[in-house]
mmCIF file of all heavy atoms in Angstrom:
data_model
loop_
_atom_site.group_PDB
_atom_site.id
_atom_site.type_symbol
_atom_site.label_atom_id
_atom_site.label_comp_id
_atom_site.label_asym_id
_atom_site.label_seq_id
_atom_site.Cartn_x
_atom_site.Cartn_y
_atom_site.Cartn_z
ATOM 1 N N ALA A 1 5.393 11.072 0.562
ATOM 2 C CA ALA A 1 6.253 11.635 -0.483
ATOM 3 C C ALA A 1 6.114 13.148 -0.581
ATOM 4 O O ALA A 1 7.097 13.857 -0.828
ATOM 5 C CB ALA A 1 5.925 10.980 -1.821
ATOM 6 N N GLU A 2 4.901 13.655 -0.395
ATOM 7 C CA GLU A 2 4.705 15.107 -0.469
ATOM 8 C C GLU A 2 5.323 15.811 0.735
ATOM 9 O O GLU A 2 5.837 16.926 0.611
ATOM 10 C CB GLU A 2 3.214 15.431 -0.553
ATOM 11 C CG GLU A 2 2.587 15.075 -1.902
ATOM 12 C CD GLU A 2 1.132 15.451 -2.003
ATOM 13 O OE1 GLU A 2 0.494 15.716 -0.955
ATOM 14 O OE2 GLU A 2 0.606 15.495 -3.131
ATOM 15 N N ALA A 3 5.262 15.149 1.909
ATOM 16 C CA ALA A 3 5.801 15.767 3.116
ATOM 17 C C ALA A 3 7.325 15.744 3.155
ATOM 18 O O ALA A 3 7.951 16.616 3.762
ATOM 19 C CB ALA A 3 5.240 15.080 4.355
ATOM 20 N N ASN A 4 7.944 14.770 2.487
ATOM 21 C CA ASN A 4 9.402 14.653 2.493
ATOM 22 C C ASN A 4 9.889 14.172 1.129
ATOM 23 O O ASN A 4 10.075 12.971 0.909
ATOM 24 C CB ASN A 4 9.857 13.686 3.586
ATOM 25 C CG ASN A 4 11.368 13.682 3.761
ATOM 26 O OD1 ASN A 4 12.101 14.208 2.924
ATOM 27 N ND2 ASN A 4 11.844 13.079 4.838
ATOM 28 N N PRO A 5 10.096 15.093 0.192
ATOM 29 C CA PRO A 5 10.533 14.716 -1.157
ATOM 30 C C PRO A 5 11.883 14.034 -1.197
ATOM 31 O O PRO A 5 12.257 13.444 -2.227
ATOM 32 C CB PRO A 5 10.573 16.066 -1.900
ATOM 33 C CG PRO A 5 9.689 16.981 -1.102
ATOM 34 C CD PRO A 5 9.858 16.537 0.313
ATOM 35 N N GLN A 6 12.653 14.095 -0.097
ATOM 36 C CA GLN A 6 13.968 13.462 -0.086
ATOM 37 C C GLN A 6 13.879 11.945 0.055
ATOM 38 O O GLN A 6 14.842 11.229 -0.219
ATOM 39 C CB GLN A 6 14.798 14.020 1.092
ATOM 40 C CG GLN A 6 14.982 15.537 1.059
ATOM 41 C CD GLN A 6 15.600 16.010 -0.253
ATOM 42 O OE1 GLN A 6 16.599 15.441 -0.706
ATOM 43 N NE2 GLN A 6 15.008 17.019 -0.857
ATOM 44 N N LEU A 7 12.726 11.459 0.475
ATOM 45 C CA LEU A 7 12.553 10.014 0.630
ATOM 46 C C LEU A 7 12.274 9.338 -0.706
ATOM 47 O O LEU A 7 11.681 9.930 -1.605
ATOM 48 C CB LEU A 7 11.376 9.722 1.567
ATOM 49 C CG LEU A 7 11.541 10.055 3.051
ATOM 50 C CD1 LEU A 7 10.216 9.864 3.770
ATOM 51 C CD2 LEU A 7 12.613 9.171 3.672
ATOM 52 N N THR A 8 12.689 8.111 -0.820
ATOM 53 C CA THR A 8 12.248 7.250 -1.919
ATOM 54 C C THR A 8 11.092 6.425 -1.382
ATOM 55 O O THR A 8 11.269 5.615 -0.477
ATOM 56 C CB THR A 8 13.382 6.334 -2.399
ATOM 57 O OG1 THR A 8 14.420 7.139 -2.961
ATOM 58 C CG2 THR A 8 12.871 5.359 -3.453
ATOM 59 N N VAL A 9 9.908 6.672 -1.921
ATOM 60 C CA VAL A 9 8.701 6.004 -1.436
ATOM 61 C C VAL A 9 8.272 4.963 -2.463
ATOM 62 O O VAL A 9 7.979 5.292 -3.623
ATOM 63 C CB VAL A 9 7.560 7.013 -1.191
ATOM 64 C CG1 VAL A 9 6.315 6.286 -0.675
ATOM 65 C CG2 VAL A 9 8.004 8.083 -0.200
ATOM 66 N N LEU A 10 8.243 3.706 -2.041
ATOM 67 C CA LEU A 10 7.825 2.608 -2.907
ATOM 68 C C LEU A 10 6.455 2.123 -2.483
ATOM 69 O O LEU A 10 6.219 1.862 -1.299
ATOM 70 C CB LEU A 10 8.814 1.444 -2.811
ATOM 71 C CG LEU A 10 10.292 1.744 -3.065
ATOM 72 C CD1 LEU A 10 11.104 0.478 -2.879
ATOM 73 C CD2 LEU A 10 10.487 2.298 -4.460
ATOM 74 N N LEU A 11 5.551 1.993 -3.425
ATOM 75 C CA LEU A 11 4.240 1.406 -3.162
ATOM 76 C C LEU A 11 4.203 0.052 -3.849
ATOM 77 O O LEU A 11 4.306 -0.035 -5.073
ATOM 78 C CB LEU A 11 3.115 2.319 -3.669
ATOM 79 C CG LEU A 11 1.701 1.940 -3.204
ATOM 80 C CD1 LEU A 11 0.794 3.165 -3.179
ATOM 81 C CD2 LEU A 11 1.066 0.874 -4.087
ATOM 82 N N LEU A 12 4.068 -1.007 -3.051
ATOM 83 C CA LEU A 12 4.156 -2.377 -3.555
ATOM 84 C C LEU A 12 2.793 -3.063 -3.470
ATOM 85 O O LEU A 12 2.217 -3.182 -2.382
ATOM 86 C CB LEU A 12 5.184 -3.170 -2.749
ATOM 87 C CG LEU A 12 6.558 -2.502 -2.562
ATOM 88 C CD1 LEU A 12 7.454 -3.371 -1.697
ATOM 89 C CD2 LEU A 12 7.205 -2.219 -3.908
ATOM 90 N N GLU A 13 2.292 -3.504 -4.604
ATOM 91 C CA GLU A 13 0.993 -4.184 -4.670
ATOM 92 C C GLU A 13 1.205 -5.579 -5.248
ATOM 93 O O GLU A 13 1.811 -5.738 -6.304
ATOM 94 C CB GLU A 13 0.021 -3.389 -5.541
ATOM 95 C CG GLU A 13 -1.233 -4.121 -5.969
ATOM 96 C CD GLU A 13 -2.072 -4.641 -4.806
ATOM 97 O OE1 GLU A 13 -2.232 -3.909 -3.805
ATOM 98 O OE2 GLU A 13 -2.558 -5.787 -4.894
ATOM 99 N N LYS A 14 0.709 -6.601 -4.544
ATOM 100 C CA LYS A 14 0.962 -7.972 -4.982
ATOM 101 C C LYS A 14 0.166 -8.365 -6.218
ATOM 102 O O LYS A 14 0.584 -9.227 -6.986
ATOM 103 C CB LYS A 14 0.664 -8.951 -3.843
ATOM 104 C CG LYS A 14 -0.791 -9.025 -3.439
ATOM 105 C CD LYS A 14 -0.977 -10.043 -2.317
ATOM 106 C CE LYS A 14 -2.440 -10.161 -1.909
ATOM 107 N NZ LYS A 14 -2.632 -11.154 -0.825
ATOM 108 N N SER A 15 -0.992 -7.746 -6.447
ATOM 109 C CA SER A 15 -1.820 -8.102 -7.603
ATOM 110 C C SER A 15 -1.468 -7.216 -8.789
ATOM 111 O O SER A 15 -0.724 -6.247 -8.652
ATOM 112 C CB SER A 15 -3.302 -7.936 -7.258
ATOM 113 O OG SER A 15 -3.659 -6.567 -7.265
ATOM 114 N N PRO A 16 -2.013 -7.509 -9.958
ATOM 115 C CA PRO A 16 -1.744 -6.655 -11.112
ATOM 116 C C PRO A 16 -2.599 -5.403 -11.148
ATOM 117 O O PRO A 16 -2.388 -4.534 -11.992
ATOM 118 C CB PRO A 16 -2.065 -7.570 -12.309
ATOM 119 C CG PRO A 16 -3.057 -8.551 -11.776
ATOM 120 C CD PRO A 16 -2.702 -8.768 -10.340
ATOM 121 N N LYS A 17 -3.564 -5.287 -10.236
ATOM 122 C CA LYS A 17 -4.507 -4.163 -10.265
ATOM 123 C C LYS A 17 -4.329 -3.255 -9.058
ATOM 124 O O LYS A 17 -4.004 -3.704 -7.965
ATOM 125 C CB LYS A 17 -5.945 -4.687 -10.308
ATOM 126 C CG LYS A 17 -6.263 -5.492 -11.560
ATOM 127 C CD LYS A 17 -7.714 -5.954 -11.545
ATOM 128 C CE LYS A 17 -8.058 -6.754 -12.802
ATOM 129 N NZ LYS A 17 -9.475 -7.218 -12.796
ATOM 130 N N LEU A 18 -4.581 -1.981 -9.292
ATOM 131 C CA LEU A 18 -4.495 -0.977 -8.245
ATOM 132 C C LEU A 18 -5.884 -0.406 -7.956
ATOM 133 O O LEU A 18 -6.730 -0.328 -8.846
ATOM 134 C CB LEU A 18 -3.563 0.161 -8.669
ATOM 135 C CG LEU A 18 -2.108 -0.220 -8.953
ATOM 136 C CD1 LEU A 18 -1.398 0.914 -9.679
ATOM 137 C CD2 LEU A 18 -1.381 -0.562 -7.656
ATOM 138 N N LEU A 19 -6.103 -0.018 -6.707
ATOM 139 C CA LEU A 19 -7.320 0.713 -6.312
ATOM 140 C C LEU A 19 -8.600 -0.027 -6.697
ATOM 141 O O LEU A 19 -9.568 0.569 -7.158
ATOM 142 C CB LEU A 19 -7.292 2.126 -6.921
ATOM 143 C CG LEU A 19 -6.115 2.995 -6.455
ATOM 144 C CD1 LEU A 19 -5.953 4.209 -7.344
ATOM 145 C CD2 LEU A 19 -6.319 3.419 -4.998
ATOM 146 N N GLY A 20 -8.597 -1.348 -6.477
ATOM 147 C CA GLY A 20 -9.732 -2.166 -6.874
ATOM 148 C C GLY A 20 -11.039 -1.749 -6.212
ATOM 149 O O GLY A 20 -12.063 -1.616 -6.873
ATOM 150 N N LYS A 21 -11.018 -1.535 -4.889
ATOM 151 C CA LYS A 21 -12.253 -1.160 -4.193
ATOM 152 C C LYS A 21 -12.727 0.225 -4.594
ATOM 153 O O LYS A 21 -13.929 0.492 -4.644
ATOM 154 C CB LYS A 21 -12.045 -1.212 -2.679
ATOM 155 C CG LYS A 21 -12.327 -2.561 -2.059
ATOM 156 C CD LYS A 21 -12.448 -2.417 -0.562
ATOM 157 C CE LYS A 21 -12.741 -3.750 0.088
ATOM 158 N NZ LYS A 21 -12.890 -3.641 1.541
ATOM 159 N N VAL A 22 -11.786 1.108 -4.855
ATOM 160 C CA VAL A 22 -12.155 2.458 -5.283
ATOM 161 C C VAL A 22 -12.939 2.388 -6.590
ATOM 162 O O VAL A 22 -13.935 3.090 -6.780
ATOM 163 C CB VAL A 22 -10.905 3.345 -5.442
ATOM 164 C CG1 VAL A 22 -11.265 4.693 -6.052
ATOM 165 C CG2 VAL A 22 -10.210 3.533 -4.096
ATOM 166 N N ARG A 23 -12.517 1.525 -7.469
ATOM 167 C CA ARG A 23 -13.166 1.421 -8.795
ATOM 168 C C ARG A 23 -14.607 0.927 -8.692
ATOM 169 O O ARG A 23 -15.479 1.383 -9.433
ATOM 170 C CB ARG A 23 -12.364 0.484 -9.700
ATOM 171 C CG ARG A 23 -10.983 1.004 -10.055
ATOM 172 C CD ARG A 23 -10.252 0.039 -10.976
ATOM 173 N NE ARG A 23 -8.861 0.374 -11.098
ATOM 174 C CZ ARG A 23 -8.368 1.273 -11.945
ATOM 175 N NH1 ARG A 23 -9.180 1.921 -12.753
ATOM 176 N NH2 ARG A 23 -7.062 1.511 -11.977
ATOM 177 N N ILE A 24 -14.884 -0.015 -7.773
ATOM 178 C CA ILE A 24 -16.221 -0.608 -7.738
ATOM 179 C C ILE A 24 -17.140 0.046 -6.713
ATOM 180 O O ILE A 24 -18.353 -0.187 -6.735
ATOM 181 C CB ILE A 24 -16.152 -2.117 -7.449
ATOM 182 C CG1 ILE A 24 -15.587 -2.378 -6.047
ATOM 183 C CG2 ILE A 24 -15.345 -2.844 -8.506
ATOM 184 C CD1 ILE A 24 -15.619 -3.834 -5.632
ATOM 185 N N SER A 25 -16.585 0.871 -5.832
ATOM 186 C CA SER A 25 -17.395 1.469 -4.777
ATOM 187 C C SER A 25 -18.540 2.297 -5.344
ATOM 188 O O SER A 25 -18.399 2.981 -6.356
ATOM 189 C CB SER A 25 -16.518 2.357 -3.891
ATOM 190 O OG SER A 25 -17.292 3.238 -3.113
ATOM 191 N N GLY A 26 -19.668 2.235 -4.641
ATOM 192 C CA GLY A 26 -20.806 3.059 -5.031
ATOM 193 C C GLY A 26 -21.326 2.755 -6.410
ATOM 194 O O GLY A 26 -21.775 3.661 -7.115
ATOM 195 N N GLY A 27 -21.258 1.493 -6.805
ATOM 196 C CA GLY A 27 -21.736 1.133 -8.131
ATOM 197 C C GLY A 27 -20.908 1.755 -9.242
ATOM 198 O O GLY A 27 -21.417 2.057 -10.320
ATOM 199 N N GLY A 28 -19.595 1.931 -8.972
ATOM 200 C CA GLY A 28 -18.720 2.525 -9.981
ATOM 201 C C GLY A 28 -18.654 4.037 -9.921
ATOM 202 O O GLY A 28 -18.012 4.672 -10.756
ATOM 203 N N ARG A 29 -19.292 4.620 -8.889
ATOM 204 C CA ARG A 29 -19.254 6.086 -8.741
ATOM 205 C C ARG A 29 -18.265 6.531 -7.662
ATOM 206 O O ARG A 29 -17.866 7.681 -7.634
ATOM 207 C CB ARG A 29 -20.644 6.624 -8.401
ATOM 208 C CG ARG A 29 -21.674 6.417 -9.514
ATOM 209 C CD ARG A 29 -22.894 7.305 -9.284
ATOM 210 N NE ARG A 29 -23.581 6.972 -8.038
ATOM 211 C CZ ARG A 29 -24.224 7.867 -7.283
ATOM 212 N NH1 ARG A 29 -24.206 9.146 -7.599
ATOM 213 N NH2 ARG A 29 -24.851 7.470 -6.187
ATOM 214 N N CYS A 30 -17.913 5.622 -6.754
ATOM 215 C CA CYS A 30 -16.991 5.871 -5.642
ATOM 216 C C CYS A 30 -17.573 6.804 -4.592
ATOM 217 O O CYS A 30 -17.550 8.025 -4.732
ATOM 218 C CB CYS A 30 -15.632 6.413 -6.093
ATOM 219 S SG CYS A 30 -14.461 6.420 -4.702
ATOM 220 N N ASN A 31 -18.076 6.195 -3.534
ATOM 221 C CA ASN A 31 -18.590 6.930 -2.384
ATOM 222 C C ASN A 31 -17.399 7.363 -1.532
ATOM 223 O O ASN A 31 -16.988 6.661 -0.621
ATOM 224 C CB ASN A 31 -19.544 6.021 -1.616
ATOM 225 C CG ASN A 31 -20.247 6.683 -0.461
ATOM 226 O OD1 ASN A 31 -20.987 6.037 0.254
ATOM 227 N ND2 ASN A 31 -20.027 7.972 -0.252
ATOM 228 N N VAL A 32 -16.855 8.542 -1.831
ATOM 229 C CA VAL A 32 -15.574 8.996 -1.279
ATOM 230 C C VAL A 32 -15.608 9.178 0.234
ATOM 231 O O VAL A 32 -14.681 8.791 0.949
ATOM 232 C CB VAL A 32 -15.143 10.307 -1.954
ATOM 233 C CG1 VAL A 32 -13.849 10.847 -1.347
ATOM 234 C CG2 VAL A 32 -14.979 10.098 -3.449
ATOM 235 N N THR A 33 -16.681 9.782 0.726
ATOM 236 C CA THR A 33 -16.797 10.046 2.160
ATOM 237 C C THR A 33 -18.243 10.358 2.472
ATOM 238 O O THR A 33 -19.125 10.160 1.629
ATOM 239 C CB THR A 33 -15.857 11.186 2.603
ATOM 240 O OG1 THR A 33 -15.878 11.300 4.041
ATOM 241 C CG2 THR A 33 -16.232 12.511 1.973
ATOM 242 N N HIS A 34 -18.507 10.855 3.677
ATOM 243 C CA HIS A 34 -19.865 11.173 4.095
ATOM 244 C C HIS A 34 -19.871 12.572 4.699
ATOM 245 O O HIS A 34 -18.928 12.962 5.392
ATOM 246 C CB HIS A 34 -20.352 10.153 5.130
ATOM 247 C CG HIS A 34 -21.838 10.074 5.234
ATOM 248 N ND1 HIS A 34 -22.582 9.133 4.563
ATOM 249 C CD2 HIS A 34 -22.735 10.823 5.927
ATOM 250 C CE1 HIS A 34 -23.864 9.297 4.838
ATOM 251 N NE2 HIS A 34 -23.976 10.312 5.669
ATOM 252 N N ALA A 35 -20.934 13.302 4.478
ATOM 253 C CA ALA A 35 -20.997 14.698 4.916
ATOM 254 C C ALA A 35 -21.179 14.795 6.428
ATOM 255 O O ALA A 35 -22.296 14.921 6.924
ATOM 256 C CB ALA A 35 -22.131 15.425 4.205
ATOM 257 N N CYS A 36 -20.085 14.717 7.159
ATOM 258 C CA CYS A 36 -20.073 14.905 8.614
ATOM 259 C C CYS A 36 -19.151 16.074 8.917
ATOM 260 O O CYS A 36 -17.970 16.043 8.568
ATOM 261 C CB CYS A 36 -19.574 13.650 9.322
ATOM 262 S SG CYS A 36 -20.669 12.218 9.184
ATOM 263 N N GLU A 37 -19.687 17.087 9.557
ATOM 264 C CA GLU A 37 -18.886 18.285 9.798
ATOM 265 C C GLU A 37 -17.870 18.103 10.924
ATOM 266 O O GLU A 37 -16.821 18.728 10.930
ATOM 267 C CB GLU A 37 -19.805 19.468 10.106
ATOM 268 C CG GLU A 37 -20.683 19.898 8.926
ATOM 269 C CD GLU A 37 -21.525 21.098 9.262
ATOM 270 O OE1 GLU A 37 -21.425 21.594 10.413
ATOM 271 O OE2 GLU A 37 -22.283 21.541 8.390
ATOM 272 N N SER A 38 -18.202 17.264 11.897
ATOM 273 C CA SER A 38 -17.324 17.139 13.060
ATOM 274 C C SER A 38 -16.893 15.703 13.278
ATOM 275 O O SER A 38 -17.549 14.753 12.832
ATOM 276 C CB SER A 38 -18.044 17.642 14.317
ATOM 277 O OG SER A 38 -19.115 16.758 14.650
#
């Protein structure tokens, strides 16, 4: 959507909840990534 604002972008999720794994990751802290430079 950011690269092409002319598009209609639909995000379809079958469950009632979004970003479930993000919420519980890292004991509720969310381990976003790992410090690797390359």
Side-chain angles (χ1 to χ4, degrees):
E2 288 183 344
N4 188 347
Q6 302 304 312
L7 290 173
T8 295
V9 180
L10 306 178
L11 192 154
L12 310 178
E13 166 58 42
K14 66 179 181 180
S15 76
K17 297 181 179 180
L18 299 166
L19 298 165
K21 271 195 180 181
V22 173
R23 294 181 192 276
I24 65 174
S25 163
R29 295 196 298 148
C30 190
N31 185 183
V32 177
T33 187
H34 202 96
C36 293
E37 294 182 0
S38 68

